[in-house]
DNA sequence: TTTTGAAGTCTCTCC
DNA sequence: GACTTCAAAA
């Protein structure tokens, strides 16, 4: 069976270049593929999986770990197209999703009760807050880290395996003396999670590693599940994930990792690109393959990105090259202000679209989610459909979390975080009352029926009764085998919508978020799976501002640079390329952070196939204290070397306003901009 | 103890 | 400009 390349394998890898083929057809043992941007690393990985299947490895014995769910889906789809339907049996997903699956299957044997709820970051912060105030840090005594800070330190500690004391010393020196108290909070936090059957993101990885390392039999069993493990975006893994991989490979050592140290952009989450540099040391006898032939971009674009990354302190040096001659040099566009930037981008997009580039082949990238606000308004006004990736506001929105809290209480009656949230929604119940109700429930061992006997303060009587009725109704086993989840949400909304209307001045957009939640839920019959999926793979786009964009297929993509990793488009616009925005002023505290910002910009600029426009606004309105307007500088990364390889152009401003920018709607001479006149009038 | 209004804070990236 | 925190009133 494991015969060497029978004729069926020849066509399989025939369209790979020699290096790619070497990687795809590599046999057993550790393999490190260092692949520059656009060198076909996904393709290589896909072909490698296909080759393994072709060679006779059973698909369900292959595990493909990716960074996002989108990547997993895409790669498995491509595997399937290569090897047929058996390809769908390959296991794939993110580290967290895989950990979750294993924990649901084997967790009970390791002391994790089933039906645990997953805490997302916000929930974890809330619970940290509860732990914090339990220990009496609620009052404004001496300064003590906020719940968000505590959660950050905790998570950093778990993921990087750096002692808490060191993290405090390095990152938060003002709290060094609080170490004992901080540890105590973590202790309570951990204990509460256990009591309430809660699992946070970090636990998913930690428990996975724990099962492998601490439980001899279980570890044997789990590490024996797979014969081959392949990991994408290895530069963005952290020490804990590396530990998990070592555990998974302790018997066979068949591990393939792919990555590019020049594209490591998740240090803020504990990722350590030294993982990839040290891979050969961790796995002795590693074979290394380097991919440098870029198939994505034209040479002028590569000239610019090579110059950009040349100054980085990367260790695996690669110089990307292509044989795609021709193409325009990337454009460096100076805009008068944000409005000009927006107008330039929209005009260019419309022109490209008229010339035949579909909208979905165009993307606008930016450093942070909020930077696209002005653009979104303009796109909506011009009826250009778009989808926004990243900045996952949807799940973080208070009203969505509220509705989910009801569901989670139903799912896990011990879910303290969700109980707390639900209770405080009721009129007449605030922090103190909610807390006493929690104590009351704890004393009754979280018996789901006990809540009906709790005596609320008089003002909350009615709401309490309503809630009890609703929970009773929803807990009654439905007559049909499975009650549609969407029906449950609809029932919750009969109670919650009223609360929402009271709470917010403009409830409509929030109500439509809930409609969307209901719609998403309609596709998931099972409550537990739905809640887990929401936590692990949140819907990637928020509700669009533009109306009538639902069901559109040809959408413009707006994305944070982080969410754009691994993707490519014909044309890419990078906006807000101004110092302080990109690099973000908050990410310049030390040289390592600045380096990561450089790599992030490298990721952004290596996305386009044919056209790259880098835009920066000179005059920026800032709502911070001081001057209303200030002058922005071009991003420090676009230095002489980089700039010299770009065409310069200025957008809009006074010079080109009357005739509109090239490519825009020509002929219509514009004397005044009424939209402009209105915008900013009401302080927006 | 909850609610309300006003002052104050801080803007990110994601599983 | 949105969200949190704080102090005073109901």
């Amino acid at each position: 069976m494991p015969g060497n390349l029978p004729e069926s394998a020849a066509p399989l890898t025939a369209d790979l270049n020699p290096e790619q083929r070497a990687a795809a057809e590599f046999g057993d043992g550790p393999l490190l593929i260092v692949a520059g941007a656009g060198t076909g690393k996904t393709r290589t990985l896909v072909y490698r999986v296909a080759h393994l299947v072709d060679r006779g490895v059973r698909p369900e014995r292959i595990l493909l770990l990716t960074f996002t769910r989108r990547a997993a889906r895409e790669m498995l789809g491509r595997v399937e197209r290569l090897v047929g339907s058996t390809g769908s049996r390959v296991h794939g997903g993110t580290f967290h999703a895989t950990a979750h699956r294993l924990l649901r299957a084997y967790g009970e044997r390791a002391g994790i009760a089933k039906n645990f709820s997953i805490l997302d970051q916000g929930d974890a912060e809330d619970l940290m807050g509860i732990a914090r105030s339990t220990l009496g840090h609620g009052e404004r005594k001496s300064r003590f880290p906020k719940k968000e800070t505590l959660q950050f330190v905790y998570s950093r500690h778990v993921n990087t395996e750096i002692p808490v004391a060191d993290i405090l010393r390095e990152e938060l020196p003002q709290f060094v003396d609080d170490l004992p108290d901080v540890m105590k909070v973590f202790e309570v936090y951990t204990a509460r999670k256990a009591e309430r059957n809660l699992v946070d993101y970090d636990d998913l990885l930690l428990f996975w590693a724990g099962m492998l390392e601490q439980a001899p039999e279980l570890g044997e069993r789990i590490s024996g599940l797979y014969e081959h493990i392949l990991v994408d975006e290895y530069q963005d893994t952290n020490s804990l994930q590396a530990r998990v991989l070592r555990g998974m490979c302790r018997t066979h050592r068949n591990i393939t990792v792919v990555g590019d140290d020049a594209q490591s952009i998740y240090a803020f989450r504990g990722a350590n690109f030294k993982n990839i540099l040290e891979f050969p040391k961790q796995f002795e006898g590693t074979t290394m393959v380097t991919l440098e032939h870029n198939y994505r971009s034209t040479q002028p674009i590569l000239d610019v990105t090579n110059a950009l990354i040349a100054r980085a302190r990367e260790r695996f040096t690669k110089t990307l090259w292509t044989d795609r001659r021709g193409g325009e040099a990337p454009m460096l566009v100076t805009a008068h202000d944000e409005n000009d930037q927006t107008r330039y981008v929209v005009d260019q997009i419309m022109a490209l679209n008229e010339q035949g580039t579909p909208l979905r082949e165009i993307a606008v990238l930016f450093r942070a989610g909020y930077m696209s606000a002005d653009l979104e308004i303009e796109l909506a006004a011009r009826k250009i459909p778009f989808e926004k990736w990243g900045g996952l506001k949807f799940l973080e929105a208070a009203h969505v979390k509220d509705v989910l809290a009801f569901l989670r209480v139903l799912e896990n009656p011990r879910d303290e975080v969700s109980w707390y949230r639900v209770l405080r929604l009721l009129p007449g119940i605030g922090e103190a009352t909610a807390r006493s109700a929690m104590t009351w429930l704890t004393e009754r061992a979280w018996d789901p029926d006990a809540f009906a006997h709790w005596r609320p303060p008089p003002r909350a009587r009615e709401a309490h009764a309503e809630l009890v009725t609703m929970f009773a109704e929803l807990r009654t086993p439905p007559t049909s085998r499975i009650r549609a989840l969407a029906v449950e949400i609809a029932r919750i909304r009969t109670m919650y919508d009223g609360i929402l209307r009271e709470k917010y001045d403009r409830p409509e957009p929030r109500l439509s978020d809930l409609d969307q939640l209901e719609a998403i839920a309609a596709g998931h019959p099972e409550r537990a799976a739905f809640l887990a999926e929401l936590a692990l793979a949140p819907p990637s786009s928020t509700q669009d501002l533009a109306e009538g964009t639902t069901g559109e297929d040809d959408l413009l993509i707006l994305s944070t640079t982080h969410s754009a990793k691994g993707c490519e488009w014909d044309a890419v616009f990078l906006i807000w390329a101004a110092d302080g925005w990109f690099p973000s002023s908050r990410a310049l505290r030390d040289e390592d952070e600045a380096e990561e910002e450089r790599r992030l910009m490298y990721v952004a600029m290596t996305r386009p196939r044919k056209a790259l426009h880098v835009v920066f606004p000179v005059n920026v309105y800032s709502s911070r204290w001081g001057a209303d307007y200030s002058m922005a500088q071009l991003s420090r990364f676009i230095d002489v070397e980089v700039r010299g390889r770009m065409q310069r152009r200025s957008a809009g401003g006074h010079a080109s306003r009357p005739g509109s920018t090239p490519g825009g709607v020509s002929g219509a001479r514009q004397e005044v901009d009424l939209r402009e006149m209105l915008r900013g009038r009401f302080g927006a």
Side-chain angles (χ1 to χ4, degrees):
Chain A
M1 278 200 298
N4 254 343
L5 312 179
E7 52 285 307
S8 66
L12 199 57
T13 51
D15 34 349
L16 298 181
N17 70 32
E19 292 79 26
Q20 291 175 334
R21 193 174 319 127
E25 295 178 353
F26 181 77
D28 292 345
L31 172 66
L32 167 61
I33 306 173
V34 177
T39 54
K41 88 185 153 61
T42 306
R43 191 182 163 78
T44 305
L45 213 46
V46 164
Y47 273 83
R48 173 147 179 79
V49 173
H51 174 79
L52 289 171
V53 173
D54 199 55
R55 209 185 76 181
V57 179
R58 281 164 52 212
E60 58 276 10
R61 305 268 291 152
I62 300 174
L63 176 63
L64 176 59
L65 290 165
T66 56
F67 203 69
T68 62
R69 205 177 62 140
R70 195 166 56 226
R73 212 181 15 218
E74 197 209 313
M75 290 171 81
L76 294 182
R78 285 169 67 175
V79 169
E80 219 176 314
R81 257 168 277 149
L82 281 174
V83 301
S85 62
T86 52
S88 67
R89 295 185 351 235
V90 172
H91 287 190
T94 61
F95 271 89
H96 290 87
T98 305
H100 175 243
R101 192 162 46 76
L102 293 172
L103 215 52
R104 290 273 181 214
Y106 302 101
E108 270 192 293
R109 280 179 245 179
I112 310 296
K114 60 175 190 178
N115 287 337
F116 59 82
S117 325
I118 296 178
L119 298 177
D120 68 19
Q121 188 171 329
D123 302 327
E125 286 166 1
D126 288 346
L127 186 61
M128 200 61 93
I130 293 174
R132 183 181 187 276
S133 53
T134 307
L135 290 169
H137 296 293
E139 314 314 319
R140 63 215 128 116
K141 288 191 303 183
S142 59
R143 281 170 173 277
F144 193 72
K146 284 192 287 205
K147 60 180 204 245
E148 292 83 5
T149 313
L150 290 166
Q151 201 279 332
F152 165 80
V153 174
Y154 176 84
S155 182
R156 166 69 49 120
H157 163 65
V158 171
N159 283 287
T160 60
E161 313 189 292
I162 297 172
V164 175
D166 294 0
I167 296 174
L168 288 181
R169 188 156 12 86
E170 297 281 321
E171 317 244 0
L172 301 153
Q174 71 272 36
F175 295 126
V176 166
D177 295 339
D178 293 309
L179 178 67
D181 284 334
V182 169
M183 295 303 274
K184 225 170 274 166
V185 173
F186 291 170
E187 202 183 312
V188 173
Y189 172 75
T190 312
R192 291 251 160 158
K193 277 190 299 184
E195 281 163 30
R196 315 295 194 245
N197 202 12
L198 302 168
V199 167
D200 65 26
Y201 284 146
D202 307 321
D203 288 337
L204 288 172
L205 299 178
L206 203 55
F207 292 161
W208 187 1
M211 288 193 290
L212 289 166
E213 294 166 358
Q214 314 280 325
E217 249 176 69
L218 200 53
E220 199 68 28
R221 174 100 183 254
I222 291 173
S223 65
L225 287 171
Y226 302 103
E227 265 172 63
H228 282 270
I229 295 181
L230 299 94
V231 188
D232 193 14
E233 309 283 10
Y234 192 69
Q235 76 281 357
D236 286 321
T237 55
N238 58 45
S239 330
L240 181 54
Q241 287 165 323
R243 227 173 89 195
V244 165
L245 290 176
R246 282 199 297 278
M248 290 299 283
C249 295
R250 62 186 185 196
T251 51
H252 51 70
R253 302 188 1 111
N254 292 328
I255 178 167
T256 299
V257 304
V258 187
D260 179 3
D261 45 316
Q263 293 186 66
S264 148
I265 55 176
Y266 278 94
F268 73 90
R269 205 173 90 184
N272 185 354
F273 71 97
K274 294 199 177 78
N275 262 0
I276 191 168
L277 300 171
E278 284 168 8
F279 183 83
K281 262 183 254 166
Q282 299 247 345
F283 292 89
E284 216 175 301
T286 292
T287 303
M288 185 167 139
V289 175
T290 308
L291 306 180
E292 294 183 312
H293 185 168
N294 178 297
Y295 294 92
R296 178 184 295 151
S297 310
T298 56
Q299 190 64 49
I301 294 178
L302 281 187
D303 288 342
V304 169
T305 55
N306 280 339
L308 175 69
I309 205 65
R311 292 220 198 293
R313 304 172 302 171
E314 72 174 309
R315 302 248 210 103
F316 289 137
T317 315
K318 318 171 276 298
T319 303
L320 300 184
W321 60 279
T322 181
D323 39 26
R324 293 191 55 193
R325 299 291 153 213
E328 295 236 318
M331 211 66 87
L332 177 59
V333 186
T334 312
H336 178 256
D337 55 17
E338 183 174 13
N339 289 333
D340 261 346
Q341 171 176 261
T342 296
R343 206 166 325 156
Y344 174 81
V345 170
V346 175
D347 285 345
Q348 292 289 319
I349 288 171
M350 288 176 81
L352 279 167
N353 191 228
E354 273 165 37
Q355 288 158 23
T357 308
L359 287 177
R360 68 164 39 264
E361 280 306 331
I362 307 173
V364 183
L365 307 183
F366 30 84
R367 173 66 177 83
Y370 70 88
M371 292 179 188
S372 64
D374 188 66
L375 181 64
E376 288 173 45
I377 293 168
E378 185 66 17
L379 289 170
R382 298 232 216 159
K383 300 248 185 300
I384 298 177
F386 66 89
E387 184 173 289
K388 185 173 171 184
W389 292 355
L392 10 121
K393 291 254 172 54
F394 181 70
L395 261 194
E396 285 161 14
H399 48 287
V400 175
K401 296 207 73 167
D402 287 345
V403 170
L404 292 177
F406 285 97
L407 288 176
R408 291 167 55 157
V409 167
L410 285 166
E411 191 59 34
N412 172 8
R414 284 192 281 163
D415 187 334
E416 181 174 21
V417 178
S418 300
W419 263 115
Y420 189 64
R421 187 172 195 110
V422 166
L423 286 171
R424 287 201 317 169
L425 287 172
L426 307 185
I429 296 184
E431 196 181 329
T433 317
R435 211 176 288 281
S436 79
M438 308 293 315
T439 317
W440 198 86
L441 281 172
T442 315
E443 285 160 3
R444 277 150 195 83
W446 302 88
D447 173 7
D449 298 321
F451 182 60
H453 305 298
W454 175 65
R455 303 208 60 83
R459 288 197 51 206
R461 270 256 182 72
E462 206 179 318
H464 171 251
E466 208 184 331
L467 185 61
V468 168
T469 313
M470 187 177 84
F471 277 163
E473 244 175 75
L474 290 178
R475 255 198 292 268
T476 317
T479 39
S480 63
R481 205 167 54 83
I482 298 172
R483 177 180 16 232
L485 185 58
V487 175
E488 291 189 0
I489 294 181
R491 176 64 183 90
I492 289 165
R493 289 187 60 186
T494 59
M495 177 171 184
Y496 179 71
D497 281 10
I499 297 171
L500 188 148
R501 281 175 204 282
E502 279 295 309
K503 207 161 138 188
Y504 301 103
D505 286 343
R506 260 173 18 93
E508 293 81 12
R510 297 175 194 263
L511 287 170
S512 79
D513 277 348
L514 297 185
D515 289 341
Q516 201 186 333
L517 182 69
E518 228 176 297
I520 297 170
H524 298 38
E526 225 228 313
R527 194 201 289 144
F530 175 67
L531 291 172
E533 174 158 335
L534 276 188
L536 293 169
S540 55
S541 60
T542 5
Q543 59 139 1
D544 295 344
L545 274 165
E547 283 173 37
T549 58
T550 43
E552 282 277 356
D553 204 26
D554 193 28
L555 299 162
L556 173 71
I557 301 297
L558 309 188
S559 174
T560 60
T561 359
H562 282 90
S563 297
K565 192 174 70 159
C567 297
E568 60 179 61
W569 293 272
D570 277 342
V572 167
F573 295 82
L574 175 61
I575 58 174
W576 283 110
D579 226 58
W581 280 259
F582 205 152
S584 161
S585 51
R586 295 188 55 251
L588 293 169
R589 286 176 310 166
D590 60 48
E591 213 181 319
D592 286 343
E593 286 190 342
E595 280 298 304
E596 176 146 319
E597 292 287 299
R598 176 193 294 280
R599 294 191 296 266
L600 191 54
M601 181 168 275
Y602 177 72
V603 168
M605 291 176 51
T606 49
R607 297 308 99 194
R609 286 188 280 256
K610 297 177 193 158
L612 170 64
H613 299 246
V614 177
V615 192
F616 92 103
V618 177
N619 297 284
V620 288
Y621 177 77
S622 97
S623 57
R624 290 170 221 183
W625 309 322
D628 284 358
Y629 267 92
S630 57
M631 302 284 280
Q633 303 254 329
L634 179 61
S635 172
R636 67 188 61 183
F637 301 132
I638 305 181
D639 59 19
V640 206
E641 290 294 313
V642 177
R643 245 176 304 172
R645 293 169 164 79
M646 303 177 84
Q647 296 181 56
R648 306 197 70 160
R649 173 190 276 189
S650 84
H654 298 293
S656 56
R657 180 157 318 171
S660 109
T661 346
V665 190
S666 54
R669 191 185 178 80
Q670 189 180 325
E671 290 182 31
V672 62
D673 192 332
L674 295 175
R675 190 169 297 287
E676 186 64 31
M677 195 184 79
L678 277 179
R679 191 186 294 174
R681 177 170 175 168
F682 305 106

